[in-house]
Amino acid sequence: MKSVSAPISLAGSQLCETRHVCAFFNNDEEEYRILLPFIKDGLKSGDKAVHVLNPEQHQDHLRRLTAAGINPALAQQSGQLELRTNTEVYLPDGRFDQDRMLEVFEQLASGNGKGGFPLSRICCRMDWAVEDRSHVDDVIEFESRVNDVWLRHDDAVICTYRLGRFGGDAVIDIMRTHPMVIIGGILQHNPFFVPPEEFLREFRQRRASRSSSLAMA
């Protein structure tokens, strides 16, 4: 349930009430430089950490946490740290279902998760979406719709995207679905954010028009 929580430090600024963030990075080094202090601070504060990773990223992620002074084995044992793969979370049966994912994140949200942690700090690596163009479109819709979930909770949710893997049009739409953005290593309020009702109406019209054009080709 949404309450008045203390600001959270992230990327040279602070997350206050609005905590759904898209973060654009060029490489792993840039991503971990920005996110490790946020992760470490959250564990120290007693927050739940949920990290959704690429399947091949698991061991490197544990190594980087350890190098930052975090004991991942102990945090996992206590239930404070939860590591999942993005294919397991987003594509459990090989397909992406927006409604199912809204339920998944509602269950992960503070007040609903296990362990009684005050809030969750959720970091999701979104590389999997580029494997299929329909995944990209569905993810963009989902990123807009999930704002309604995070408006009800205090959790900080960081969706990380590689700039070199997503096309320019997709990057713009992804940005328009998040009220906060990290770009150039700095967190800022996103001036391009469009409220879900308005964005979804426009995006679905574009998507339908594109599908009609392909059908006629």
Side-chain angles (χ1 to χ4, degrees):
M1 186 65 65
K2 194 76 172 178
S3 61
V4 179
S5 295
I8 294 175
S9 296
L10 173 65
S13 188
Q14 290 188 321
L15 288 173
C16 296
E17 283 191 37
T18 305
R19 297 179 172 183
H20 184 208
V21 184
C22 61
F24 295 104
F25 298 116
N26 292 299
N27 50 54
D28 285 354
E29 284 62 38
E30 182 183 10
E31 177 173 340
Y32 280 100
R33 177 174 58 81
I34 297 300
L35 294 187
L36 277 173
F38 164 81
I39 293 168
K40 188 173 182 179
D41 179 65
L43 292 170
K44 185 178 179 181
S45 299
D47 297 337
K48 172 91 173 186
V50 180
H51 300 165
V52 181
L53 313 169
N54 292 337
E56 73 280 2
Q57 189 186 355
H58 189 90
Q59 290 304 316
D60 182 61
H61 188 70
L62 292 176
R63 179 184 63 79
R64 290 178 186 268
L65 293 180
T66 302
I70 297 166
N71 186 331
L74 185 63
Q76 287 180 284
Q77 186 177 5
S78 70
Q80 190 179 11
L81 172 63
E82 185 175 336
L83 302 184
R84 300 189 183 188
T85 63
N86 45 26
T87 48
E88 166 200 0
V89 170
Y90 291 102
L91 303 169
D93 56 2
R95 64 188 184 89
F96 180 70
D97 185 315
Q98 295 185 46
D99 294 329
R100 177 179 59 198
M101 285 310 307
L102 290 172
E103 293 177 5
V104 167
F105 279 106
E106 185 68 57
Q107 291 165 6
L108 289 175
S110 55
N112 297 332
K114 297 178 181 178
F117 298 99
L119 59 85
S120 297
R121 300 192 185 201
I122 303 172
C123 299
C124 298
R125 187 76 171 264
M126 304 301 293
D127 295 0
W128 64 271
V130 298
E131 301 301 324
D132 188 310
R133 173 68 213 193
S134 67
H135 286 164
V136 175
D137 287 343
D138 284 340
V139 164
I140 289 169
E141 279 199 24
F142 167 75
E143 289 278 38
S144 184
R145 293 177 66 194
V146 79
N147 281 297
D148 291 336
V149 173
W150 302 127
L151 280 174
R152 300 193 298 271
H153 299 281
D154 295 318
D155 309 283
V157 186
I158 319 299
C159 309
T160 70
Y161 291 87
R162 282 292 180 275
L163 281 168
R165 302 200 68 188
F166 290 83
D169 289 345
V171 167
I172 291 170
D173 279 329
I174 290 164
M175 187 179 296
R176 296 174 73 213
T177 63
H178 291 76
M180 303 294 291
V181 61
I182 296 173
I183 196 160
I186 301 296
L187 173 72
Q188 54 192 306
H189 285 278
N190 183 5
F192 303 105
F193 173 67
V194 179
E197 184 177 354
E198 180 183 345
F199 177 84
L200 289 169
R201 182 172 58 250
E202 174 208 321
F203 185 76
R204 286 167 178 168
Q205 287 174 351
R206 273 196 280 138
R207 194 173 182 182
S209 176
R210 185 168 64 241
S211 296
S212 296
S213 297
L214 289 173
M216 293 174 63

